[in-house]
Amino acid sequence: MSLQSVAIDVLAQADPEVLDPKQGQNEAAASGAGLAYGLAAIGPALGIGYIVGQAIQAMARQPESASQVQTTMFLGIAFTEALALIGFVIAILLKFV
Amino acid sequence: MSFIVLAAEASAETKNPVLPVVSEMFWGAVTFTALYLLVKFVLLPPFKRTMSDRAATIAADKDAAELARQQVASADSDVVDQLAGTRAEAAAIIEQAREEAEVERTRLVGRAEREVQAMRDLADTELSSARDKAMQGMKPQVSELAAGAASRVLNRQVSLSEAQPVIDRHLANQN
Amino acid sequence: MLALEFPPIENLVEWPAYFGDGEFFAFNKIALISVLAVVIPTVLFLLAKKEMVPRGLQNICESAIEFVENQVIMSAIGPEGLKYLPMLLSMFLFVFFGNIFEVIPTFQMPANARMANPLVLALITWATFIYVGFKHHGIGYLKEVMVPPGVPKALLPVVIPIEFLSTFLLRPFGLAVRLFANLLAGHILLVTFGVLCIAVWRLDAMAILVPFSFATLVALTGFEVMVSFIQAFVFALLTAVYINSSIHTH
């Protein structure tokens, strides 16, 4: 718990004594960015879990085709992961543009 | 291309960390092209040569091993054939020996039987001659006895010469 | 209560030029890593002996070649893709060595956490698969790409723009963003835990938490090594898949 609060303190951008007129806008952008990334990560997280689970099942059923399944699994992960990564990029864009 | 330049300009203005910087793209393109040319013309060919040489050597060695294995197999079957031939020959020899032994045995047995037969015949003749001789020795006394007995029974004198043919016939019948 | 702030993200990824500042050939740390990503594989491949029985360095180089041959080309394209081996091998090596500097002390920066290198590589992939498509199918390649078989005629006005966009715009974009964002996220993750270690160390009462944050930092460093390799593999694999989709359309 204390570790978390320290981490939040470390990551907090602004010093409370410095009153920046753009501060409110920055904070809104930062929370928007965090929300964007959090939402963008939900779907791909489920998708990647499903892909890996199915791949493990396939490999357990047919260990001799494990390498083929693994390659296909990485392909599927790469395509699914792209959505989360686009969310990450959008988050950074929100924060800096 | 204009898209790239635009992106670079935007980056220079806002310092956005997402957008590419043109100098980094320049160096990335130059270095990647260099690496591609190096890999294609300098780095990869010797490795591919070595690897294909190795694959060829392995294939040749495998073929040689396969050939040797086939030779061993054919030599094996030769040995087996020879062994079978020898065995058949030995069986034939044994069979022949057995037949010869059989022939010899029958020959020996026949000879022994013949010898035994001859001996038996000899004994038989000796026996019968001895009996004949004894019979001949006994004959006068028997005749005399018979004549005496007949005289007593008939109450008349029966001469020996008169009784002799009857006695001889009777004796011949007895035998 | 804290003396330490999280550094702004520009400070994490933007590096001053060693020379040529402001020019198109400005040479900064990213460019230096790109140069090293060429020099290191070159030196390794040149130093390795080419013997019948491989040992040591030769084993490493040959397993890299065979990895790209078997896991990337044979599984994505097949034997006819072997002529793209130099291209895919150099992509794999360039991306991997660009990534691995993320965990090498004194560098601590993946070249691919900047958009430049991924974008250049993605544009090269894009040009390659379009070239291969036109080489194999002539001008009919455009029809092969944009008109999937079995689609009703009424849907074609919708399908054609979607297929065009997904093939010619989203592919290179996704390829570049996937590599870039993975490495940028990993870099920010490592920086976050590094900064956390320092911050906790400075707070006397909280110094007891240093081992935990440091252990996480070490574990994440190992994770990032894995990510470096997997992203290089995925980049080469996707390039091979796109080339394959240009050779065998549908």
Side-chain angles (χ1 to χ4, degrees):
Chain A
M1 200 60 210
S2 55
L3 183 67
Q4 260 182 355
S5 62
V6 169
I8 290 167
D9 280 345
V10 167
L11 299 182
Q13 278 275 338
D15 194 344
E17 287 170 17
V18 181
L19 279 176
D20 185 353
K22 280 183 70 184
Q23 192 186 337
Q25 191 195 337
N26 282 346
E27 277 175 356
S31 20
L35 196 64
Y37 178 63
L39 287 175
I42 295 173
L46 297 176
I48 290 176
Y50 187 72
I51 289 170
V52 176
Q54 294 289 314
I56 289 171
Q57 266 193 3
M59 282 190 249
R61 268 186 208 172
Q62 285 179 301
E64 66 276 4
S65 68
S67 75
Q68 183 65 40
V69 172
Q70 212 164 22
T71 308
T72 318
M73 179 187 85
F74 277 121
L75 263 184
I77 289 179
F79 283 124
T80 316
E81 187 192 40
L83 301 172
L85 294 173
I86 289 169
F88 174 75
V89 172
I90 300 286
I92 290 181
L93 279 177
L94 273 180
K95 203 164 174 305
F96 287 93
V97 174
Chain B
M1 204 58 206
S2 60
F3 152 68
I4 298 163
V5 173
L6 270 178
E9 280 169 0
S11 145
E13 280 169 18
T14 61
K15 287 273 181 190
N16 192 317
V18 171
L19 297 177
V21 178
V22 98
S23 66
E24 290 170 4
M25 285 183 73
F26 167 74
W27 284 108
V30 168
T31 47
F32 180 74
T33 312
L35 182 62
Y36 173 68
L37 295 176
L38 276 170
V39 164
K40 179 156 188 178
F41 295 110
V42 182
L43 303 181
L44 198 53
F47 274 100
K48 289 306 288 180
R49 214 157 32 237
T50 313
M51 286 159 88
S52 59
D53 279 1
R54 183 182 307 134
T57 311
I58 289 173
D61 285 1
K62 242 180 180 169
D63 288 353
E66 180 63 21
L67 202 68
R69 210 181 57 76
Q70 279 170 359
Q71 279 172 354
V72 166
S74 70
D76 252 16
S77 66
D78 280 3
V79 167
V80 167
D81 287 357
Q82 277 179 3
L83 218 62
T86 316
R87 222 171 251 146
E89 203 176 329
I93 289 171
I94 287 171
E95 189 57 32
Q96 194 185 353
R98 187 177 289 141
E99 277 167 11
E100 281 172 5
E102 185 63 32
V103 168
E104 182 70 12
R105 195 177 69 84
T106 36
R107 196 173 63 80
L108 284 177
V109 166
R111 202 173 69 184
E113 275 176 353
R114 276 196 307 279
E115 278 171 8
V116 167
Q117 193 60 42
M119 279 165 136
R120 192 180 287 152
D121 290 352
L122 197 63
D124 276 357
T125 40
E126 273 175 10
L127 198 67
S128 62
S129 71
R131 201 177 56 189
D132 286 357
K133 212 183 274 175
M135 207 64 117
Q136 291 299 326
M138 262 161 60
K139 213 172 182 178
Q141 291 162 19
V142 169
S143 306
E144 213 165 305
L145 210 63
S151 309
R152 186 69 60 79
V153 168
L154 296 174
N155 270 334
R156 82 165 173 107
Q157 194 63 39
V158 178
S159 74
L160 197 62
S161 54
E162 193 182 1
Q164 196 66 46
V166 178
I167 292 165
D168 280 352
R169 204 167 57 231
H170 190 72
L171 277 176
N173 280 353
Q174 284 286 297
N175 271 338
Chain C
M1 99 190 216
L2 268 177
L4 200 68
E5 274 187 8
F6 192 77
I9 196 165
E10 306 93 274
N11 296 6
L12 302 184
V13 293
E14 278 170 16
W15 299 90
Y18 298 134
F19 63 81
D21 196 7
E23 303 287 333
F24 73 93
F25 54 85
F27 192 86
N28 60 6
K29 199 174 190 173
I30 306 300
L32 177 63
I33 293 172
S34 299
V35 170
L36 286 177
V38 175
V39 170
I40 292 174
T42 307
V43 169
L44 288 183
F45 273 63
L46 286 181
L47 279 185
K49 294 191 184 71
K50 283 84 179 172
E51 281 172 356
M52 226 14 142
V53 181
R55 296 175 57 215
L57 193 56
Q58 193 189 352
N59 260 330
I60 297 174
C61 300
E62 286 193 4
S63 50
I65 295 170
E66 283 187 339
F67 176 77
V68 175
E69 265 185 1
N70 295 332
Q71 297 296 312
V72 176
I73 296 179
M74 293 306 279
S75 67
I77 309 180
E80 60 196 305
L82 283 177
K83 61 180 168 183
Y84 303 106
L85 178 64
M87 170 97 185
L88 293 167
L89 179 65
S90 50
M91 259 182 187
F92 176 76
L93 292 173
F94 191 70
V95 174
F96 177 71
F97 282 102
N99 288 349
I100 202 67
F101 279 98
E102 182 178 13
V103 296
I104 292 179
T106 74
F107 283 94
Q108 306 275 32
M109 173 71 202
N112 295 319
R114 301 289 284 150
M115 195 57 179
N117 279 0
L119 188 62
V120 168
L121 291 176
L123 288 176
I124 289 171
T125 298
W126 180 77
T128 307
F129 80 74
I130 291 178
Y131 167 73
V132 172
F134 278 117
K135 201 176 88 175
H136 277 258
H137 302 281
I139 199 71
Y141 172 63
L142 288 175
K143 181 178 168 291
E144 294 269 353
V145 166
M146 288 190 271
V147 186
V151 172
K153 280 227 159 51
L155 278 180
L156 281 183
V158 185
V159 169
I160 286 176
I162 291 178
E163 290 287 326
F164 181 84
L165 281 180
S166 75
T167 302
F168 295 115
L169 282 178
L170 285 184
R171 271 183 185 181
F173 176 75
L175 206 53
V177 166
R178 178 176 300 114
L179 180 59
F180 157 71
N182 256 304
L183 272 294
L184 179 61
H187 183 58
I188 291 177
L189 209 57
L190 290 185
V191 170
T192 305
F193 276 89
V195 170
L196 180 64
C197 282
I198 301 169
V200 174
W201 180 255
R202 287 206 183 165
L203 297 170
D204 294 337
M206 294 291 166
I208 193 166
L209 296 174
V210 168
F212 297 104
S213 53
F214 187 72
T216 314
L217 182 59
V218 171
L220 282 176
T221 304
F223 177 71
E224 288 306 321
V225 173
M226 193 186 82
V227 167
S228 301
F229 173 75
I230 288 183
Q231 287 308 314
F233 170 47
V234 164
F235 198 94
L237 182 63
L238 282 175
T239 303
V241 166
Y242 291 157
I243 290 175
N244 179 50
S245 78
S246 290
I247 298 176
H248 309 109
T249 43
H250 307 308

